[in-house]
Amino acid sequence: MPNYDVDLFVIGGGSGGVRAARIAAQHGARVMLAEEYRLGGTCVIRGCVPKKLLVYASRFHGEFEDAAGFGWRVGHATFDWPTLIANKDKEIARLEAVYGKLLDNSGVKVAKRRATIADAHTVQIENGERVRAAYILIATGGTPSYGNEIPGLEHAISSNQAFHLEELPRRIVIQGGGYIAVEFAGIFAGLGSHVTLVYRGENILRGFDDDVRTHLRADMETHGIRVITGRTVAAIENLGAHFSARLSDGNRLTADKVMFATGRVPHVKKLGLAEVGVALAKNGGVAVDEYSRTNVASIYAVGDVTNRINLTPVAIREGHAFADTIFGGKPTKVDHTNVPTAVFSEPEVGVVGLTEAQARAELQQTDIYRSMFRPLKATLSGRDTTVLLKLVVDGLTDRVVGCHMVGEGAAEIAQLAAVAIKMGSTKADFDATMALHPTTSEELVTMRTRSASYVRAAAE
Ligand SMILES: Cc1cc2nc3c(=O)[nH]c(=O)nc-3n(C[C@H](O)[C@H](O)[C@H](O)COP(=O)(O)OP(=O)(O)OC[C@H]3O[C@@H](n4cnc5c(N)ncnc54)[C@H](O)[C@@H]3O)c2cc1C
């Protein structure tokens, strides 16, 4: 590709962009990447990684409480938010440097600048440099969306700011019912804040299995998180020492912080997409085919900016597949089915495959196996919690098509259940697997009795 400065220009140094750049370079491509903020992107800098560190911090609270039932006398425990944030920031800075090194070692040239698309083969870097590229990859991710304009919206913080608060809010109102809202509710509650979650829908975690939604909500409420559904924050008033959040029903909540976790939108603005003719999909993401190619032949897009499944491992796979397709001589599609996912709430949620509602809409016969029980650990600790385990089975083929869990270790379990489901395991395979005792997940292979079975009416 002699007429170009580089073979590939990647815009965005997050999960998808970095993987694509590195693999393309390994395939021998001359690669340049622009990142306007910090290398590592959302996941490393203000997403999965810092969030999980805060989740770990928040869980000590419950562990200290539980310890008493096992004979431990833990002294008066205190928590220091600035120490947590400083230690978290140190780790994030370390990871950011690792990302820089990985790119360096792969021979990828990095511009720590914003970049936009000038034409189908030209990228404009903020410093004035223009780079001609055979291919351009858009990997600009997503950004928090605050929803509708309301009075006082400027006082609300998003997850981006939540990672950098100077002090732990004593009272926080979180608007949103998705995984980020629910996770931050658990984090702040675990660290000692009074948390109120406000969500406009009828229950949290839309899109998840209904049993999971009900179970998690009940557990969160039992453990002190106030969940208000069917309402929204209609205005935020700054009262100096604190804020007053007026709800759509007229009620008011007093808080030291008001956080909006009302979704994320693809980062497509002011990128030059309209000018160069790159089409957007109905959901606002860059429209791509199964090889992540846009309608402009030299421009591809991967990760959250395409708004397919907005998770780090998916962005990484898409970036890798793109590089293999274009520079590795190995056309590769990404399989977006049976992607496991977790909500690092308290208690944790881990799921893979179809929900009961999806299965009942898609399959001729759906069998449900459900188990709810008090985990062994809770017997001595006295913690008021139950585990939910649920298998969704195709009644005609016996294939397990969904696995849903709420309880300690759910995310780790969902990862392995995903292997079994991806392999097409049947309920009989699960039953034939020896239980590992005493564990929570042994219930997955010991649930013998169907909780329910649904046959779809012929006309549906
Ligand atoms: C609070 C939170 C928690 C999350 N938790 C999880 C989790 O537990 N598990 C999970 O799998 N996923 C999680 N995610 C989602 C995950 O972070 C994203 O799916 C993932 O980061 C997407 O990768 P990406 O490469 O598409 O985009 P990003 O990682 O967002 O990277 C895009 C990069 O592009 C840069 N950029 C944007 N525009 C330009 C431009 N014009 N020029 C130069 N650079 C630009 C941005 O600064 C950014 O660094 C979480 C997200 C959030 C917000």
Side-chain angles (χ1 to χ4, degrees):
M1 303 178 195
N3 295 328
Y4 299 109
D5 302 319
V6 293
D7 302 315
L8 171 65
F9 196 108
V10 179
I11 306 180
S15 307
V18 168
R19 175 59 69 96
R22 284 178 52 215
I23 301 300
Q26 280 170 22
H27 286 312
R30 297 168 301 150
V31 184
M32 192 164 175
L33 178 147
E35 168 53 54
E36 68 175 347
Y37 182 53
R38 293 175 68 181
L39 285 174
T42 303
C43 179
V44 174
I45 307 297
R46 43 196 181 186
C48 340
V49 177
K51 174 207 60 196
K52 190 83 187 276
L53 293 174
L54 299 197
V55 167
Y56 282 129
S58 69
R59 287 183 179 166
F60 282 96
H61 185 119
E63 292 290 326
F64 293 147
E65 274 180 14
D66 290 354
F70 292 92
W72 285 92
R73 295 287 166 268
V74 180
H76 178 63
T78 58
F79 167 71
D80 186 52
W81 171 265
T83 302
L84 170 64
I85 296 304
N87 289 347
K88 180 263 296 173
D89 286 345
K90 218 157 86 187
E91 174 57 11
I92 300 309
R94 189 189 69 80
L95 289 173
E96 182 185 5
V98 168
Y99 270 77
K101 235 191 208 113
L102 284 174
L103 287 168
D104 239 22
N105 293 345
S106 311
V108 175
K109 196 174 161 206
V110 175
K112 293 291 257 335
R113 298 278 184 168
R114 179 171 163 73
T116 53
I117 299 175
D119 66 43
H121 289 285
T122 309
V123 173
Q124 174 77 52
I125 307 180
E126 212 180 23
N127 61 5
E129 196 184 340
R130 280 167 90 88
V131 180
R132 298 268 300 149
Y135 291 94
I136 297 169
L137 180 68
I138 307 166
T140 50
T143 190
S145 136
Y146 288 85
N148 295 337
E149 189 63 40
I150 56 158
L153 187 60
E154 68 277 11
H155 303 307
I157 61 164
S158 72
S159 58
N160 284 355
Q161 290 88 42
F163 288 117
H164 298 286
L165 296 177
E166 278 177 14
E167 53 187 36
L168 179 70
R170 208 161 55 77
R171 298 155 299 184
I172 185 164
V173 169
I174 301 176
Q175 164 144 282
Y179 80 94
I180 295 176
V182 168
E183 288 175 340
F184 272 95
I187 289 169
F188 284 117
L191 296 177
S193 306
H194 291 280
V195 179
T196 307
L197 195 70
V198 180
Y199 177 53
R200 71 178 166 175
E202 68 189 43
N203 204 358
I204 57 171
L205 291 185
R206 186 162 62 91
F208 282 75
D209 189 272
D210 285 335
D211 282 336
V212 167
R213 302 170 75 190
T214 309
H215 194 94
L216 178 66
R217 179 180 179 164
D219 206 310
M220 286 168 68
E221 288 177 327
T222 302
H223 291 100
I225 295 174
R226 187 172 170 206
V227 181
I228 299 176
T229 47
R231 273 152 286 179
T232 56
V233 174
I236 306 169
E237 225 181 309
N238 185 354
L239 299 178
H242 55 259
F243 297 98
S244 171
R246 180 167 53 78
L247 302 187
S248 46
D249 64 4
N251 278 321
R252 286 179 176 275
L253 300 168
T254 303
D256 303 297
K257 283 284 174 234
V258 179
M259 174 175 169
F260 273 35
T262 37
R264 293 174 60 81
V265 289
H267 213 152
V268 292
K269 278 199 186 141
K270 298 188 184 154
L271 266 182
L273 299 185
E275 293 78 354
V276 76
V278 171
L280 298 184
K282 273 202 193 106
N283 65 11
V286 174
V288 287
D289 68 12
E290 50 203 349
Y291 292 102
S292 296
R293 182 169 46 188
T294 71
N295 59 317
V296 177
S298 57
I299 302 180
Y300 284 66
V302 295
D304 285 10
V305 75
T306 63
N307 215 355
R308 287 177 278 185
I309 298 179
N310 298 332
L311 292 170
T312 287
V314 178
I316 290 174
R317 274 288 167 95
E318 290 169 358
H320 201 128
F322 155 78
D324 282 349
T325 300
I326 301 300
F327 301 105
K330 200 172 87 183
T332 308
K333 298 176 191 172
V334 172
D335 179 358
H336 288 95
T337 59
N338 290 322
V339 174
T341 188
V343 183
F344 294 99
S345 44
E346 184 54 42
E348 197 167 281
V349 172
V351 305
V352 57
L354 301 184
T355 63
E356 177 180 327
Q358 287 168 334
R360 287 174 62 181
E362 284 177 27
L363 306 177
Q364 237 177 311
Q365 184 184 326
T366 303
D367 292 343
I368 302 297
Y369 294 81
R370 190 189 297 111
S371 179
M372 255 165 59
F373 55 95
R374 192 148 198 240
L376 182 61
K377 189 175 169 190
T379 54
L380 292 203
S381 71
R383 175 170 289 267
D384 184 6
T385 190
T386 49
V387 168
L388 167 74
L389 273 168
K390 179 169 176 178
L391 288 180
V392 181
V393 177
D394 182 333
L396 293 192
T397 63
D398 196 41
R399 275 181 63 168
V400 178
V401 293
C403 175
H404 307 266
M405 175 174 171
V406 184
E408 196 173 328
E412 305 288 344
I413 290 165
Q415 177 66 87
L416 280 185
V419 177
I421 289 180
K422 194 87 189 160
M423 290 174 71
S425 301
T426 59
K427 179 67 170 58
D429 293 324
F430 273 60
D431 294 347
T433 304
M434 194 66 81
L436 195 163
H437 184 71
T439 60
T440 302
S441 51
E442 67 181 299
E443 286 283 322
L444 286 177
V445 300
T446 57
M447 287 191 280
R448 294 279 184 269
T449 315
R450 269 192 314 217
S451 316
S453 184
Y454 304 92
V455 177
R456 211 168 50 156
E460 284 181 52

